[in-house]
Amino acid sequence: LVARAADSAPGSLPERHAVPAVPTMPQAPEGGVLERLLHQAATRRRRGWRLHLVGAAASLTFITAAAGDSRLAAIGSVGSQATPPGPSAPTAWRTFSGSDPTTGISASVKVSPSAWGSVLQMSAKGAPAGMTCRLQTVGPGGARADGATWRAGRYPPGATIPGAVAMSPGAIEHFEILAGNGQKLVTVRA
């Protein structure tokens, strides 16, 4: 319309025909624009669902870990037993045991040195099923480090629970197994 108006205007110059007054944009057929908009909306909707699903999975993982699910703790601890590359020397394990007649709980803790501290394997009997338990190492000056966490009754009898602490075996004075509320269930002297 602007080009026609410029042509019909008195005193119009021939140059105006060469340069249009309004830049023209390539026109896509109406179906193409609609299809493109529908495709973009569908892509956004799919991406939104994927993000919601990933977020829900991540949230579920964190909630399960926070609730003290021992299966996640055990899976994470198993990798800590890897040996460094090179010639393998026999692993020196020392075993310590203890029991508490008041709580009726007995425990055994195996300790092996590692370049970064100690690898632990422990087993316990007598804790009520479903109780969250925690193995804590106690070192010089009362320094404490959690070595493993598990839920009683989730493992078959005689199963060992893996763990690790950043404390050398020689620095460990004793082990304590604590209930989820902090109550001491048994002490194992090292």
Side-chain angles (χ1 to χ4, degrees):
L1 291 175
V2 174
R4 283 188 205 157
D7 287 342
S8 64
S12 62
L13 299 172
E15 297 171 358
R16 285 195 176 162
H17 291 295
V19 178
V22 177
T24 60
M25 297 182 71
Q27 294 292 324
E30 286 300 317
V33 172
L34 181 59
E35 287 177 21
R36 186 171 31 113
L37 290 174
L38 288 173
H39 179 69
Q40 287 175 350
T43 301
R44 284 190 198 118
R45 199 170 29 248
R46 281 191 301 269
R47 188 178 325 144
W49 274 106
R50 285 184 200 131
L51 290 175
H52 286 299
L53 290 174
V54 168
S59 297
L60 183 60
T61 301
F62 289 125
I63 289 169
T64 304
D69 191 343
S70 60
R71 287 175 285 182
L72 289 177
I75 290 169
S77 299
V78 171
S80 65
Q81 296 180 29
T83 58
S88 61
T91 306
W93 289 93
R94 293 186 61 201
T95 304
F96 305 98
S97 299
S99 62
D100 187 319
T102 306
T103 62
I105 297 174
S106 61
S108 174
V109 182
K110 289 173 67 176
V111 183
S112 177
S114 177
W116 42 262
S118 298
V119 175
L120 309 173
Q121 289 185 359
M122 61 104 6
S123 60
K125 295 180 202 168
M131 175 185 278
T132 300
C133 300
R134 182 178 57 191
L135 174 68
Q136 221 174 49
T137 57
V138 182
R144 295 177 176 269
D146 286 344
T149 302
W150 71 99
R151 192 170 301 266
R154 289 250 176 125
Y155 296 94
T160 59
I161 298 162
V165 290
M167 191 181 295
S168 70
I172 298 172
E173 293 177 357
H174 67 276
F175 302 93
E176 292 178 357
I177 294 181
L178 307 170
N181 63 5
Q183 173 193 3
K184 190 186 313 182
L185 301 173
V186 65
T187 300
V188 177
R189 299 280 171 212

